[in-house]
Amino acid sequence: MQPNSGLLRKLYRQFICLLMLIIMVNAANAQCCYYHLSMHDSYGDGWNGGQLKVYVNNNLVGSYAALNFGSADTFLVCNGDSLALVYSSGAYENENMYQLYDANFHLLYHDGPTPLVGLVFDTLGNCNSASSLVGLHPCLAIPIDTGQCVNGDNTAYPGSGLNPGCASYQAADVWYSLVVPPSGNISLSTDSGTINDTGLAAWAGSDCNSLHVIGCDDDNGNGYFSRLILSELTPGQTIYIQVWGYGSSLGSYQLCVQDLGTVKVDSTELPLVLINTQGQTIVEGNKINCLMDIKYAGLGNMTHLTDNANIYHGNIGIEIRGASSAGYPQHPYGFETRTVTGANNNVSLLGMPAENDWVLISNYNDRSLVRNTLAYQLFKEMGHYSPRTHLCEVLIDSIYKGIYVLSEKIKQGNNRVHISKLTSADTIGVALSGGYILQQNYWNSFNSFQSNYSPIDHPGFDVHFVYEYPKPDSILPVQKTYIASFIDTLETALYSPNFADSAMGYRKYLDVPSFIDYFIVNELARSNDGFKKSVFFHKEKLTDGGKLKAGPVWDFDWAWKTLATGPLFDQNDGSGWAHHINDYPTDNYSCGYYIRLLQDTNFANELRCAYNAYRSGILDTTYLFAYIDSVGQRVAHAQERHFQKWPLLGYSGPAPEVNAIATTYAAELDTLKHWIAVRLQWLDVNIPGHCIQVNTGLSESVDAMGLSYYPNPSDGDIQFTGHLHSESKMTMKIFEMTGTCIDQFVLTNNEQHFTYRLRKQGVYYFTISNQEGRMQYGKFTIL
């Protein structure tokens, strides 16, 4: 029988269809794609031994680690494949971060800083995910150009997992790409939308997968919006901009990009500081050898860029300095003047005494350009060492960096903090007792010691003192033991029941006048840092008094303003005690000495007397405002360049301020003056203590527990008479209204009867002090 050819053809067609179906199913099951792995190191030195292993179907397909700031890789995955990530740790794990994406850049897993170890993630391969939203990832970034403002909305964005480290990033970020303009200088800002609090970051790298953060901001824009100023970027480079709502809040926003242009300097009324890095990069923690010229034609004259370097021409070692300020776009710098061989080179700069250690203080957080120097001036006029300063304009490798404060660095020396030099030979007796400089600042176990006491109003708070001089790497164990023991002895007396006893209490170890003056300057400025950070103390040898002195004052860019940092600093009526900083969350606990000191009625009374005396002189608004105006006049032209480079007028900057920000430099100075006037009015009422003065007509004055002096007012001769009890040497100082000490002499007897003669009309005040502190204040007028 012949085969049925029709049936065979039918069966054959069915077989072919079935085979095609099987092939199609298998092909679908076998669809493959590349997954993306991004790895990052925030320090820029790779993962230091950290490693991420990727397994597909239990087979190791690669061991990965970030290189430098970051790197990326891909690996093949097919639908249904088992995928597993295994992480092993190395050193500095807090720097490590990574993300795993599918072929369409949907985030599958991310971890870090300090990633988990072991088997951290497993899933099945899927190459059929939906197409991604534009802006979901840097590789899908939305193009934007300078001069543009674009509206965005992050509602539908799950997040890239790229954590920039600020503004409480969690997710819901949108990405933009920008080609850097020829100037290399831009500002990025967010503004109006249904989101009223944003985060903003900028990233750069070799490609969209291998990025590192070059800037991150929370609240530097209007209100709680964000703003970044980026300078000296490479023209033509592509950077990536990340926008999100604070704490992953969702809604609309606006993103704007501005080209800041290039600042040119031909001449200036300020000194010019020109630094040549010789092709190097200035970094933190390691001074590099550079060349520096300083040129200055003198007060009232214009200095030209083409002038000869008449102040300094030679070598320096320079580094980025500071804690939070090191991250400001206008970096602060520390430098030492050097010989060609690299040795210290003690030179005089701009009339300041010869030394080799100097500081260039950034004004990025001080639109007035006066906050630091005003505080230093006041402390100096009170009779203490305060760093000498000079405003200047700085160029590094011919690139304009803005107005800086060229300042002496706080250190031991005859022309700095005038305490004895402590050497490796000073290990016993009086030689061991001084001098020392201590700080309250960020600390670690190597650079500090911990007090045995907590602040009296905050039991359990740990207080640390940082070794400033000698430095942590040079101070001897016996010297560490001595200064820690001295602080313990002082604090034991301070917190004892008899702490106010003039012979057995704290006055035996603590220099009252310096602590009073330090308090007045920092409380007048309502300094956010003045009692917890950048707090200096110094101690001389026993033969030179041997007490702990407060100062020098330092670091006032977070002062003289109303800050949104808590109830101590956010009041517009001038109220709030900065020395109560421990009452609120703080990044470093204050020693809290003033809480205890003000429980001593005599200390409070001396404080009130000192404040009253200064209010007639250096704390009078006439003096303060004249100083502010003098700075404003000096930088009248230079400030325009500074604020083109750093367009901060109208913006709060790093220190979040409560009130609207002045949009012109003149208005900024007026704002500062108003703030000071309001603060003084509050202090006039609220400074503790009572300064009792008895006036006998117009002819005689006598301060409580002091000498009588008459006539007052006088035509030139003042008679002093009375009795002062003191077992130590007494010194009388005469001050002009400006706070300048014009005379001082020793009072040798307890019984006093003498005439003091002045021929220049004006208001004067005097102090009488012994080793225990100030004994009397007074004021008189010469007609």
Side-chain angles (χ1 to χ4, degrees):
M1 182 175 67
Q2 296 294 325
N4 189 325
S5 58
L7 178 62
L8 287 175
R9 285 195 295 271
K10 181 178 180 182
L11 291 173
Y12 177 75
R13 286 195 298 270
Q14 290 176 344
F15 171 76
I16 293 298
C17 289
L18 178 61
L19 180 62
M20 292 295 294
L21 179 61
I22 293 171
I23 292 172
M24 291 174 63
V25 170
N26 288 338
N29 288 336
Q31 183 177 342
C32 301
C33 57
Y34 284 95
Y35 275 20
H36 303 269
L37 183 63
S38 295
M39 297 156 289
H40 312 270
D41 181 88
S42 60
Y43 188 74
D45 62 348
W47 271 2
N48 297 293
Q51 193 174 69
L52 183 66
K53 293 183 177 182
V54 177
Y55 294 86
V56 175
N57 295 326
N58 297 319
N59 296 313
L60 178 65
V61 298
S63 297
Y64 304 98
L67 302 175
N68 301 318
F69 278 107
S71 53
D73 218 318
T74 59
F75 55 88
L76 189 66
V77 175
C78 297
N79 282 344
D81 285 349
S82 66
L83 168 66
L85 303 183
V86 177
Y87 185 82
S88 57
S89 62
Y92 309 108
E93 283 294 294
N94 60 307
E95 301 169 4
N96 299 357
M97 180 174 66
Y98 64 89
Q99 302 84 32
L100 174 67
Y101 304 97
D102 70 11
N104 289 314
F105 288 104
H106 296 106
L107 180 65
L108 300 178
Y109 182 75
H110 66 104
D111 203 358
T114 313
L116 298 174
V117 297
L119 176 62
V120 295
F121 178 70
D122 62 88
T123 189
L124 295 178
N126 177 15
C127 294
N128 299 320
S129 63
S131 298
S132 298
L133 292 168
V134 177
L136 178 66
H137 182 273
C139 293
L140 303 171
I142 304 166
I144 188 174
D145 201 356
T146 52
Q148 278 190 315
C149 289
V150 297
N151 296 318
D153 193 306
N154 70 341
T155 303
Y157 287 77
S160 68
L162 286 159
N163 187 347
C166 78
S168 187
Y169 171 83
Q170 295 176 31
D173 48 323
V174 184
W175 289 84
Y176 301 82
S177 62
L178 171 74
V179 177
V180 176
S183 71
N185 303 312
I186 60 173
S187 72
L188 312 172
S189 59
T190 56
D191 214 309
S192 56
T194 58
I195 299 175
N196 61 8
D197 190 352
T198 62
L200 176 66
W203 300 65
S206 58
D207 58 57
C208 60
N209 275 308
S210 305
L211 300 177
H212 63 275
V213 177
I214 58 174
C216 191
D217 180 62
D218 185 0
D219 298 328
N220 280 344
N222 292 319
Y224 294 108
F225 288 106
S226 310
R227 189 165 185 258
L228 276 175
I229 297 174
L230 303 174
S231 60
E232 284 92 62
L233 299 174
T234 302
Q237 171 191 18
T238 297
I239 65 168
Y240 297 86
I241 304 163
Q242 181 185 23
V243 182
W244 67 97
Y246 185 91
S248 70
S249 58
L250 303 177
S252 62
Y253 57 86
Q254 185 181 74
L255 171 65
C256 295
V257 182
Q258 179 184 359
D259 183 351
L260 299 178
T262 304
V263 180
K264 300 292 185 181
V265 182
D266 296 319
S267 61
T268 174
E269 61 267 64
L270 299 177
L272 270 175
V273 177
L274 310 176
I275 296 170
N276 178 0
T277 67
Q278 304 181 93
Q280 304 168 88
T281 300
I282 304 175
V283 297
E284 293 183 62
N286 183 33
K287 290 186 175 71
I288 62 170
N289 191 60
C290 299
L291 300 175
M292 182 177 74
D293 286 352
I294 301 180
K295 48 189 73 174
Y296 184 46
L299 186 64
N301 299 313
M302 297 299 291
T303 300
H304 295 82
L305 189 63
T306 55
D307 289 347
N308 293 326
N310 61 328
I311 303 299
Y312 185 80
H313 172 72
N315 293 75
I316 62 169
I318 187 169
E319 65 181 343
I320 297 173
R321 69 177 305 276
S324 58
S325 60
Y328 296 167
Q330 187 192 25
H331 297 310
Y333 299 101
F335 70 92
E336 58 187 23
T337 44
R338 294 174 172 175
T339 66
V340 292
T341 62
N344 287 340
N345 184 20
N346 290 333
V347 295
S348 173
L349 298 181
L350 298 168
M352 294 180 279
E355 247 290 351
N356 61 79
D357 280 315
W358 310 89
V359 175
L360 284 168
I361 301 173
S362 164
N363 282 306
Y364 192 81
N365 198 29
D366 178 15
R367 296 176 305 276
S368 75
L369 311 174
V370 74
R371 284 179 166 87
N372 278 304
T373 62
L374 175 58
Y376 302 167
Q377 174 74 8
L378 292 177
F379 201 60
K380 182 191 77 171
E381 293 287 6
M382 291 172 172
H384 309 283
Y385 167 73
S386 205
R388 302 169 186 89
T389 63
H390 216 302
L391 289 171
C392 60
E393 291 191 270
V394 176
L395 286 83
I396 299 180
D397 294 334
S398 300
I399 297 172
Y400 183 74
K401 296 291 186 176
I403 297 175
Y404 280 80
V405 179
L406 176 55
S407 170
E408 296 176 333
K409 180 183 178 181
I410 293 176
K411 61 179 292 188
Q412 180 274 340
N414 291 338
N415 294 319
R416 301 289 175 90
V417 181
H418 191 32
I419 55 175
S420 298
K421 186 175 183 179
L422 196 64
T423 71
S424 59
D426 298 322
T427 58
I428 59 173
V430 171
L432 179 61
S433 66
Y436 296 89
I437 304 176
L438 298 174
Q439 258 204 89
Q440 279 208 278
N441 213 326
Y442 295 131
W443 56 270
N444 57 50
S445 59
F446 170 72
N447 71 3
S448 66
F449 67 90
Q450 183 174 343
S451 166
N452 291 322
Y453 289 86
S454 294
I456 193 170
D457 57 336
H458 288 282
F461 279 18
D462 56 305
V463 173
H464 299 258
F465 294 89
V466 175
Y467 306 113
E468 180 66 25
Y469 177 80
K471 288 293 185 183
D473 57 358
S474 60
I475 188 170
L476 299 177
V478 67
Q479 295 164 346
K480 289 182 177 181
T481 299
Y482 173 83
I483 191 60
S485 177
F486 175 83
I487 293 296
D488 185 65
T489 302
L490 184 159
E491 293 180 340
T492 299
L494 181 65
Y495 296 125
S496 72
N498 299 319
F499 80 104
D501 185 277
S502 60
M504 302 303 295
Y506 67 86
R507 289 175 184 263
K508 187 175 180 180
Y509 309 100
L510 181 148
D511 179 72
V512 170
S514 67
F515 272 79
I516 284 176
D517 291 343
Y518 185 93
F519 179 92
I520 290 173
V521 173
N522 279 277
E523 281 296 358
L524 170 59
R526 202 168 68 183
S527 175
N528 185 78
D529 290 333
F531 298 96
K532 63 164 183 173
K533 268 188 336 188
S534 301
V535 181
F536 285 88
F537 306 100
H538 60 281
K539 181 191 180 299
E540 184 53 287
K541 286 190 187 327
L542 291 173
T543 49
D544 295 308
K547 295 183 180 182
L548 187 73
K549 294 186 177 182
V553 298
W554 186 253
D555 195 8
F556 283 77
D557 63 327
W558 283 68
W560 309 100
K561 59 182 81 169
T562 302
L563 298 173
T565 57
L568 297 181
F569 306 101
D570 65 357
Q571 301 302 306
N572 282 318
D573 61 358
S575 63
W577 288 116
H579 71 280
H580 283 203
I581 187 68
N582 282 339
D583 289 350
Y584 298 92
T586 176
D587 53 358
N588 195 57
Y589 291 135
S590 166
C591 65
Y593 285 178
Y594 288 103
I595 302 297
R596 182 61 160 172
L597 290 171
L598 289 169
Q599 294 176 359
D600 176 11
T601 302
N602 288 331
F603 182 91
N605 290 345
E606 291 175 57
L607 170 63
R608 169 54 81 169
C609 286
Y611 177 80
N612 288 354
Y614 291 140
R615 278 292 275 130
S616 299
I618 57 173
L619 298 191
D620 184 87
T621 53
T622 302
Y623 176 88
L624 294 168
F625 294 175
Y627 182 86
I628 293 170
D629 287 339
S630 71
V631 173
Q633 292 165 5
R634 289 218 63 205
V635 301
H637 300 293
Q639 59 88 13
E640 296 176 1
R641 289 185 289 272
H642 178 81
F643 290 117
Q644 180 187 348
K645 178 69 176 183
W646 311 116
L648 297 164
L649 293 172
Y651 295 93
S652 182
E657 297 185 47
V658 169
N659 302 310
I661 307 301
T663 57
T664 68
Y665 181 62
E668 174 67 23
L669 296 187
D670 288 341
T671 298
L672 176 60
K673 291 178 191 176
H674 175 75
W675 190 95
I676 290 172
V678 172
R679 179 65 172 166
L680 283 168
Q681 290 174 1
W682 187 83
L683 290 174
D684 288 345
V685 176
N686 291 281
I687 282 282
H690 301 279
C691 190
I692 304 169
Q693 187 178 73
V694 179
N695 293 313
T696 307
L698 294 176
S699 62
E700 180 177 358
S701 298
V702 56
D703 292 295
M705 302 175 62
L707 304 180
S708 61
Y709 47 102
Y710 59 89
N712 188 17
S714 166
D715 59 1
D717 289 347
I718 304 289
Q719 306 295 323
F720 286 87
T721 183
H723 180 85
L724 291 171
H725 175 72
S726 176
E727 296 179 357
S728 60
K729 179 178 70 175
M730 296 178 290
T731 301
M732 186 168 186
K733 294 182 179 181
I734 310 295
F735 298 86
E736 290 182 327
M737 182 179 173
T738 62
T740 301
C741 181
I742 61 171
D743 196 8
Q744 64 178 9
F745 46 89
V746 174
L747 303 179
T748 56
N749 300 309
N750 291 335
E751 288 293 333
Q752 302 294 332
H753 302 283
F754 63 91
T755 300
Y756 188 80
R757 176 168 295 178
L758 271 170
R759 287 291 178 255
K760 183 180 178 181
Q761 294 180 348
V763 177
Y764 299 84
Y765 61 94
F766 69 89
T767 64
I768 300 175
S769 306
N770 62 9
Q771 289 187 4
E772 282 69 48
R774 288 204 179 113
M775 304 173 66
Q776 185 179 0
Y777 298 83
K779 182 172 68 174
F780 55 85
T781 303
I782 304 299
L783 300 176

